[in-house]
Amino acid sequence: MNKILLAFASGILMGMGSEPFGWWFLSWFTLSPLWVLITQDKSYKHNIVIAFSWGLGYHGLTMSWILGIHPMTWLGVNWFLSLLIALFCWLFISLWGASLVIFWTLAMTFVQNTTPRVTGYWLLLRVIIGVAFWGGLEQLYSFTPLWWSSLSLTQSPGNLIILQLGQISGFATITATLMTINGLIAEAVMIYRSDQKNSKGILLIAILLYCLFFLVGWLLYQRPLSDQKAVKIGLIQGNIPNEIKLYPEGFAQALEGYTRGYKRLAKEDVRLVITPETALPFFWDNLTKYGSFYPAILEEKIPVLLGAFGSVDNNYTNSLFMIDSQGKLLGQYDKTKLVPLGEYIPFEQILGRIISRLSPIKSSLIAGKSDQIVETPFGKVILGICYESAYGDLFRRQTLAGGEYIVTASNNAHYSLGMPAQHHAQDVMRAIENDRWASRVTNTGYSAIVSPRGDVIWQS
């Protein structure tokens, strides 16, 4: 029981590295207790329980913001069922994250049980194996529909120097550095009583590598930014509560607020206006038929990247529309990474009836194509909508396709305060990884301008 509690506590401490706590320094040693516990016990059964405890502590705390979706009475869900849905979502996502830790533990236990226990080089080799296994699993999980709490998230946005390592190979580089230091500390602790000399040597290697990682990060941080022509942009943060957003009161508030904001920014002589995800919560086709926003575009003649809904074959998409100064549609980006249970029902053909009882959504969105790239009057733009901020490969693909700057549009109105803070942290990492300026605009939460080095130039 003591081992289980120790594993659970160290997982919680690792989770406190991420926002809203932001105690990133804890993450450099709070995985080492898990490493020690599973290495000293050759039982697969015991190690699964220990791994589960650590994973539940880390992912359970990191993802606890999802409980903020309760209450969903504004969607017509009764209070008690809303609580059950929130608890189900939180528990499922926490267990999904814990499964990664369990798979890693099974692999490490296998290595431990099939390899003779020696000191010296073998201990260092075991660290390399542990780092490789964890990194590989995170990469695999990042291809699934549920992905958010990589170990790298614990360093953002507080540890900007280490985040620069993301320029090398994305979040995987940061995860690898954390795992390396934790693994070396664990190996040093395990042999301290029997071999103090080698134990001190391994700790020295850990210290030297820690310093080397920060030195490389610092050098990358010092690199001058590439010369680019500046474009003055305007962001509109609507602050429209979800409780009214999809109803007539919310429609009216959105039209009035975004039209007023657009006109105000036009007077500030901006070149491009950007709105949040589904800023105007109706179909693009209806934009020209009613309301004050489209006439304002024709009057002020300032291009706008607008969040609204699109339609494809009687289905609808969560989209961003690039509208030029003449009111013409230049391009459309459809969200590709949809939120399970929030924007679509997983396995609808097989389990639709069962899952639909747990989900408040009455109809599903469809995902956009994976090869989208949108042209603007100021070059190609790298786009992400809300949940997509966690998927670094989506941004890298658009960067390779010629994207010159990043725009993320989000809602963030229906979760607890930890969520917008972590969402901001994800976007900081994406800016650094792609070496691009980024603007993030939200309905509520943190809208911001972020430099290619992760510095927050302005934040709401």
Side-chain angles (χ1 to χ4, degrees), residues 103-259:
F103 286 132
W104 177 80
T105 296
L106 289 173
M108 292 299 289
T109 305
F110 175 79
V111 170
Q112 173 70 4
N113 290 346
T114 56
T115 309
R117 182 171 178 78
V118 294
T119 58
Y121 292 118
W122 160 240
L123 298 182
L124 297 179
L125 178 60
R126 189 161 59 189
V127 172
I128 295 172
I129 293 172
V131 172
F133 276 151
W134 194 291
L137 285 168
E138 280 205 351
Q139 195 65 50
L140 285 174
Y141 272 59
S142 72
F143 297 142
T144 69
L146 282 179
W147 177 243
W148 187 267
S149 47
S150 162
L151 293 186
S152 60
L153 185 62
T154 63
Q155 301 304 293
S156 185
N159 192 355
L160 274 185
I161 299 301
I162 283 296
L163 289 181
Q164 304 308 311
L165 300 179
Q167 297 180 46
I168 299 171
S169 189
F171 72 85
T173 318
I174 300 163
T175 293
T177 61
L178 290 168
M179 287 296 297
T180 299
I181 301 303
N182 274 278
L184 289 170
I185 291 173
E187 296 292 351
V189 168
M190 284 188 286
I191 66 169
Y192 180 74
R193 289 185 178 179
S194 60
D195 190 349
Q196 290 190 16
K197 182 178 178 181
N198 275 331
S199 175
K200 292 177 181 178
I202 292 174
L203 276 178
L204 179 60
I205 292 173
I207 293 170
L208 292 175
L209 282 176
Y210 182 80
C211 294
L212 177 63
F213 293 151
F214 272 84
L215 175 61
V216 173
W218 182 80
L219 291 173
L220 289 171
Y221 184 73
Q222 300 304 313
R223 286 197 312 146
L225 300 177
S226 59
D227 292 330
Q228 289 180 298
K229 184 178 180 181
V231 177
K232 189 176 182 180
I233 65 171
L235 311 179
I236 308 177
Q237 181 167 313
N239 295 320
I240 301 173
N242 264 14
E243 289 79 359
I244 67 170
K245 183 174 182 179
L246 300 178
Y247 300 99
E249 181 184 355
F251 286 14
Q253 186 171 327
L255 279 169
E256 192 276 332
Y258 284 102
T259 301

Side-chain angles (χ1 to χ4, degrees), residues 175-409:
T175 293
T177 61
L178 290 168
M179 287 296 297
T180 299
I181 301 303
N182 274 278
L184 289 170
I185 291 173
E187 296 292 351
V189 168
M190 284 188 286
I191 66 169
Y192 180 74
R193 289 185 178 179
S194 60
D195 190 349
Q196 290 190 16
K197 182 178 178 181
N198 275 331
S199 175
K200 292 177 181 178
I202 292 174
L203 276 178
L204 179 60
I205 292 173
I207 293 170
L208 292 175
L209 282 176
Y210 182 80
C211 294
L212 177 63
F213 293 151
F214 272 84
L215 175 61
V216 173
W218 182 80
L219 291 173
L220 289 171
Y221 184 73
Q222 300 304 313
R223 286 197 312 146
L225 300 177
S226 59
D227 292 330
Q228 289 180 298
K229 184 178 180 181
V231 177
K232 189 176 182 180
I233 65 171
L235 311 179
I236 308 177
Q237 181 167 313
N239 295 320
I240 301 173
N242 264 14
E243 289 79 359
I244 67 170
K245 183 174 182 179
L246 300 178
Y247 300 99
E249 181 184 355
F251 286 14
Q253 186 171 327
L255 279 169
E256 192 276 332
Y258 284 102
T259 301
R260 183 178 68 249
Y262 176 84
K263 290 184 174 180
R264 177 180 173 184
L265 289 169
K267 290 180 173 57
E268 297 289 335
D269 198 30
V270 302
R271 302 289 303 283
L272 174 67
V273 173
I274 305 173
T275 73
E277 173 188 21
T278 60
L280 300 183
F282 47 75
F283 289 106
W284 155 256
D285 295 340
N286 293 327
L287 181 65
T288 60
K289 296 177 182 178
Y290 62 86
S292 55
F293 193 85
Y294 189 74
I297 298 175
L298 299 179
E299 177 185 349
E300 302 292 347
K301 300 188 182 306
I302 303 297
V304 58
L305 195 55
L306 175 68
F309 291 114
S311 58
V312 179
D313 299 329
N314 297 321
N315 295 302
Y316 70 104
T317 59
N318 185 346
S319 304
L320 291 171
F321 298 91
M322 184 61 236
I323 308 168
D324 70 9
S325 59
Q326 305 302 313
K328 295 180 181 179
L329 182 62
L330 289 184
Q332 174 180 340
Y333 175 84
D334 302 326
K335 186 176 182 181
T336 63
K337 304 292 185 181
L338 302 178
V339 180
L341 290 183
E343 293 178 317
Y344 76 102
I345 297 175
F347 311 111
E348 188 170 10
Q349 299 295 325
I350 303 173
L351 303 173
R353 287 187 178 181
I354 299 173
I355 296 180
S356 63
R357 294 176 182 272
L358 292 173
S359 175
I361 63 175
K362 303 304 179 185
S363 57
S364 296
L365 286 87
I366 60 171
K369 297 179 179 179
S370 61
D371 59 349
Q372 301 173 83
I373 190 74
V374 174
E375 291 275 4
T376 76
F378 313 103
K380 293 179 181 178
V381 59
I382 304 160
L383 292 173
I385 300 178
C386 200
Y387 180 49
E388 294 183 321
S389 291
Y391 290 86
D393 60 314
L394 184 148
F395 292 80
R396 288 194 296 273
R397 181 196 61 77
Q398 294 181 77
T399 300
L400 288 171
E404 298 181 43
Y405 55 98
I406 297 172
V407 171
T408 61

